[in-house]
Amino acid sequence: MTNAQVTALQYGLIGFLAVWGTLLVPQLVLQLARYGRPRLRRLVTTAAVVFYACMALAVVFLPLPSANGRRLEQTVQLRPFQWVADIHTELVKHGLSAAHWFSTQTFQQVALNVLLFVPLGIFARVLWRRGLVGALAVGAAASLAIEITQLTANFGTAPFVYRIFDVDDLMTNTFGAGLGWLFGALLLALRAIPSAIHAQPAGRERIDLAQTR
């Protein structure tokens, strides 16, 4: 992890503390007024969503460039699966065999792009009860919004375009959201197993009693 990435994560953590601290008080007031006590699960859910949003945005947009910073030679990449060719180029450049593809910086970046959107897919399934298509749509829309923001230099607030608009990012981000949805569906299925086991004997007992009558 580079110093720039560490700095971005630090700012993301500061942003989370600021945003969650702002939301916590009104949320507690509303819960006390409605339920008479804090609802821990909802508090944790809000914290998780805010933490993910702040950290993800920090990783995507920070650090911001200085006015005299180095410009990108390429700002748009529209070839699908260009990362596959980039891995080959990196292997050749460093004299590595094809067996070392997973250790390349390109592959690691692709993996991070996938992992970045896995929590979003989990939220889409577990919290927002979206189907797989809905989770993919949420992932694609969020990724497209990020890419457009990067392409426009944060809508003109940055001195120049400092991140590449990459179609591969759209694909890997969307895939990550789908992967997260599957993981969320698995979590819900595992949670339902104990309830089904406990409910089954009770159902049989009712049938047996009915038969004896």
Side-chain angles (χ1 to χ4, degrees), residues 121-153:
I122 295 176
F123 294 150
R125 179 65 185 95
V126 176
L127 300 181
W128 307 323
R129 304 296 179 179
R130 301 294 181 184
L132 178 58
V133 175
L136 292 174
V138 169
S143 180
L144 181 60
I146 291 172
E147 295 299 319
I148 290 175
T149 303
Q150 292 176 340
L151 182 62
T152 58

Side-chain angles (χ1 to χ4, degrees), residues 195-208:
S195 300
I197 292 176
H198 289 299
Q200 189 173 5
R204 290 179 178 176
E205 183 178 355
R206 286 195 295 271
I207 294 173
D208 291 341

Side-chain angles (χ1 to χ4, degrees), residues 161-172:
V161 177
Y162 62 100
R163 298 289 174 90
I164 297 176
F165 180 100
D166 195 337
V167 69
D168 281 341
D169 288 349
L170 291 173
M171 297 167 61
T172 52

